[in-house]
Amino acid sequence: MNPIVYHCASGQAFFTGVTLVLLAALLSLSEKRIARRGMVLSLVIGVLAMAVSSTPLPWWFYGGATLVTLFWLVTLFTQRWRKAAAEAMVGVWLLGLLLEVPYHLMPGVETVSLRRLTVIGDSVTAGLGDSETETWPRILAREHEIAVQDLSHVGDTVVAARKRVAASQIDSQQVLLEIGGNDVLGSTTPVEFATSLDSLLTELTLPGRQLVMLELPLPSFYHAFGRIQRRLAKKHDVRLVQKRVFLSILAGGDTTLDSIHLSQAGQQKMADVVWGIVGSGYSSD
């Protein structure tokens, strides 16, 4: 995967962008020509980096940050309020970092009494039907001696996954969701995605069961899907795994067949990564 694409889709571009915007605010306090040129360059690249990262922070934050940034830009043409505006810029974008950092930390899972795992996914999990390829749910079951119920299916959207769940008997105390990619890349609208994902998580939520969901790597300017996923994860108490983790598997040179679907090496890596997420929830006894 192209390093620039990875940097954007993983959300790391947001941190780069904020750093550059903060640098622009500091450079604005200088009257030197080279500092002013650096300020403009840092601001432009920083804003673009944040925009293409599709970081789904709340609208209220982006609205407030935009107003502060506009005020700061106005003060560049006068000495009055320039320092105060630069300080406000630093404050509001540091707030953005504080809001985003928690979504880049690995969530913990609680111990469950049954060595069972239910997996809900699309073709990334189900594979492309090649009988010679051992999918990562099968690898998990074989390597770690747990019963894995694999409800993944090629082409599944969130709507299709919900129907599959409703028609199945799930008795696992831990459920992992790798779903939504076909919605983002297909014709599903954000409103439809929100409704269907809410229904799926409602269907799965039970006392004593914990849900783990892989955050979706998003194309540029697809903030809405990420905002919905985060909001519903919070609503249903879902452990949301930062998108960098999933994307790091797809970014491996030999882990995919076509940049999306996993090769055998990718299936093994996915199994290792997933076990690193959910494995602590199973007793070693």
Side-chain angles (χ1 to χ4, degrees), residues 18-155:
V18 170
T19 300
L20 290 172
V21 168
L22 292 175
L23 176 61
L26 295 176
L27 290 174
S28 70
L29 298 175
S30 174
E31 296 294 339
K32 295 181 179 180
R33 180 176 298 180
I34 189 171
R36 286 305 181 96
R37 289 178 177 176
M39 177 198 70
V40 173
L41 183 61
S42 293
L43 178 63
V44 171
I45 297 177
V47 170
L48 286 176
M50 287 188 284
V52 300
S53 73
S54 287
T55 300
L57 288 177
W59 285 117
W60 62 261
F61 168 76
Y62 279 124
T66 298
L67 290 176
V68 170
T69 302
L70 290 175
F71 172 64
W72 168 72
L73 288 172
V74 170
T75 65
L76 295 179
F77 299 96
T78 175
Q79 290 292 336
R80 189 180 183 185
W81 303 110
R82 183 180 296 180
K83 183 178 179 182
E87 291 174 346
M89 275 282 285
V90 171
V92 74
W93 288 110
L94 284 178
L95 174 60
L97 289 179
L98 291 176
L99 291 172
E100 181 61 16
V101 163
Y103 291 102
H104 291 257
L105 303 177
M106 186 69 74
V109 296
E110 299 174 3
T111 302
V112 296
S113 58
L114 300 176
R115 293 185 65 81
R116 296 175 182 171
L117 173 69
T118 295
V119 177
I120 298 166
D122 48 33
S123 55
V124 172
T125 296
L128 295 177
D130 180 5
S131 59
E132 296 183 359
T133 299
E134 185 180 24
T135 61
W136 66 263
R138 295 176 184 172
I139 296 174
L140 276 185
R142 173 174 55 80
E143 291 187 345
H144 303 287
E145 298 181 346
I146 62 172
V148 179
Q149 180 184 25
D150 186 3
L151 298 182
S152 63
H153 194 271
V154 176

Side-chain angles (χ1 to χ4, degrees), residues 106-107 109 174 176 212 214 241 245 272-281:
M106 186 69 74
V109 296
Q174 188 158 224
L176 184 136
V212 180
L214 301 183
V241 180
V245 172
D272 294 339
V273 168
V274 170
W275 186 250
I277 297 168
V278 304
S280 61

Side-chain angles (χ1 to χ4, degrees), residues 161-180:
R162 185 197 178 278
K163 293 178 180 177
R164 206 173 300 283
V165 166
S168 304
Q169 181 68 37
I170 299 177
D171 55 10
S172 304
Q173 295 172 308
Q174 188 158 224
V175 177
L176 184 136
L177 298 96
E178 176 279 303
I179 196 70

